[in-house]
């Protein structure tokens, strides 16, 4: 058994968008560290949980500059609290990831990179995408995956509205309904029929509604993939080798 004590990088989390999915990040990161290191080990985390109502107001008004300022300020507070690597705990707000990166001097681990890495490990080259309307309609997320060799299949326009509505009216408020689960499964079946080998839950709340047993094709829960990537990045031996690779 290796007896070298790990040095844990401090992870900065910009969360609260919504807090329901940030709970998943906190739990998954700590569980991963405890599993790998053992004993009483837990992750070193600097968390800034923003007021989602303020961010949501920016989204509705499409004031992305103000949203970027709020997240950049939160990221800077994480770094001031010792963060050595940073994550934005939401897919949609990676729309302003470049501005956040410019505001800090530590690496930002992009959620799209974590998703693409998991897809590649499983040999999936085409992913269906379930997300908010902006993520499905705009190119900032799709292009990030494309740069890493992953093609995407988006729901049709009517299905996008259904998926988006359930996110904002239910999931981000902690509401989970069986009827909504059935609607999502129908959308996933259509994505599979159109060539998706797996589906990415590209909103960090969708994992509250859809699990592996619900989907007709494999899923990538973006929150879980991101949290696992963060835990791996945080786990370093004293020699600089990733602890998870020892």
């Amino acid at each position: 058994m290796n007896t070298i004590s790990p040095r844990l990088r401090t992870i900065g989390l910009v969360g609260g968008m919504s807090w329901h999915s940030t709970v998943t990040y906190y739990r998954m990161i700590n569980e991963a560290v405890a599993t790998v290191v053992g004993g009483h080990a837990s992750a070193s985390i600097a968390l800034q949980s923003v007021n989602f109502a303020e961010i949501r107001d920016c989204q509705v008004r499409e004031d992305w500059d103000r949203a970027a300022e709020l997240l950049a300020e939160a990221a800077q507070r994480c770094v001031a609290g010792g963060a050595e690597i940073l994550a934005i705990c939401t897919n949609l707000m990676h729309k302003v990831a470049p501005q956040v990166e410019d505001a800090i001097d530590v690496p930002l681990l992009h959620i799209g990179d974590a998703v693409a890495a998991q897809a590649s490990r499983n040999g999936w080259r085409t992913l269906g995408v379930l997300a908010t309307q902006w993520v499905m309609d705009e190119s900032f997320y799709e292009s990030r995956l494309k740069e890493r060799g992953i093609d995407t299949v988006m729901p049709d326009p009517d299905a996008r509205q259904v998926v988006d509505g359930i996110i904002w009216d239910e999931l981000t408020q902690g509401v989970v309904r069986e009827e909504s689960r059935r609607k999502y499964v129908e959308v996933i079946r259509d994505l599979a029929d159109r060539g998706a080998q797996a589906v990415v839950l590209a909103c960090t709340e969708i994992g509250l509604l859809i699990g592996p047993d619900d989907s007709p094709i494999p899923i990538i829960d973006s929150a879980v993939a991101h949290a696992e990537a963060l835990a791996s990045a945080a786990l370093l031996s004293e020699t600089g080798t990733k602890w998870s690779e020892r």
Side-chain angles (χ1 to χ4, degrees):
M1 180 177 179
N2 199 313
T3 59
I4 300 175
S5 299
R7 180 183 75 80
L8 300 180
R9 284 178 177 169
T10 298
I11 300 169
L13 297 179
V14 178
M17 298 168 285
S18 67
W19 68 262
H20 302 280
S21 61
T22 304
V23 170
T24 298
Y25 275 83
Y26 190 81
R27 177 177 54 82
M28 292 289 299
I29 291 169
N30 277 292
E31 286 178 350
V33 168
T35 297
V36 172
V37 181
H40 294 96
S42 59
S44 176
I45 294 175
L47 170 63
Q48 284 289 316
S49 187
V50 301
N51 179 359
F52 190 33
E54 193 170 7
I55 302 299
R56 181 61 181 150
D57 179 64
C58 291
Q59 293 170 342
V60 171
R61 292 186 292 105
E62 299 202 36
D63 188 352
W64 301 110
D65 289 340
R66 177 56 180 157
E69 290 176 2
L70 291 170
L71 295 198
E73 290 167 1
Q76 289 169 340
R77 291 193 294 272
C78 287
V79 174
E84 299 168 81
I85 185 169
L86 190 94
I88 304 170
C89 301
T90 160
N91 290 267
L92 170 55
M93 295 315 295
H94 278 74
K95 180 178 172 70
V96 301
Q99 296 95 308
V100 175
E101 284 185 295
D102 288 344
I104 57 177
D105 58 3
V106 301
L108 186 147
L109 201 163
H110 196 289
I111 196 168
D113 296 349
V115 167
Q118 183 171 332
S120 295
R121 286 195 298 271
N122 286 279
W124 301 324
R125 311 310 300 177
T126 303
L127 296 179
V129 178
L130 297 180
T132 59
Q133 193 89 37
W134 285 291
V135 171
M136 293 185 288
D137 286 353
E138 298 184 18
S139 64
F140 68 92
Y141 197 87
E142 180 180 16
S143 61
R144 187 81 181 199
L145 296 179
K146 183 69 173 177
E147 289 168 3
R148 283 145 187 80
I150 305 298
D151 293 324
T152 53
V153 180
M154 300 292 175
D156 64 41
D158 289 342
R160 293 184 196 190
Q161 291 186 13
V162 171
V163 171
D164 182 80
I166 289 170
I167 290 170
W168 296 118
D169 297 341
E170 300 174 22
L171 299 180
T172 54
Q173 299 178 60
V175 177
V176 177
R177 294 184 173 137
E178 183 60 36
E179 179 183 359
S180 297
R181 181 177 290 111
R182 288 195 294 269
K183 289 178 180 178
Y184 268 46
V185 170
E186 290 175 7
V187 176
I188 294 171
R189 287 198 180 102
D190 179 67
L191 294 173
D193 289 343
R194 291 163 50 208
Q197 298 168 287
V199 62
V200 55
L201 310 183
C203 169
T204 52
E205 279 80 26
I206 297 178
L208 302 172
L209 182 66
I210 297 292
D213 293 339
D214 301 308
S215 177
I217 56 177
I219 66 170
I220 297 177
D221 186 327
S222 60
V224 174
H226 204 194
E228 289 177 345
L230 286 162
S232 179
L235 286 162
L236 296 177
S237 73
E238 291 179 351
T239 62
T241 303
K242 285 185 180 179
W243 193 259
S244 57
E245 295 174 352
R246 297 189 68 81

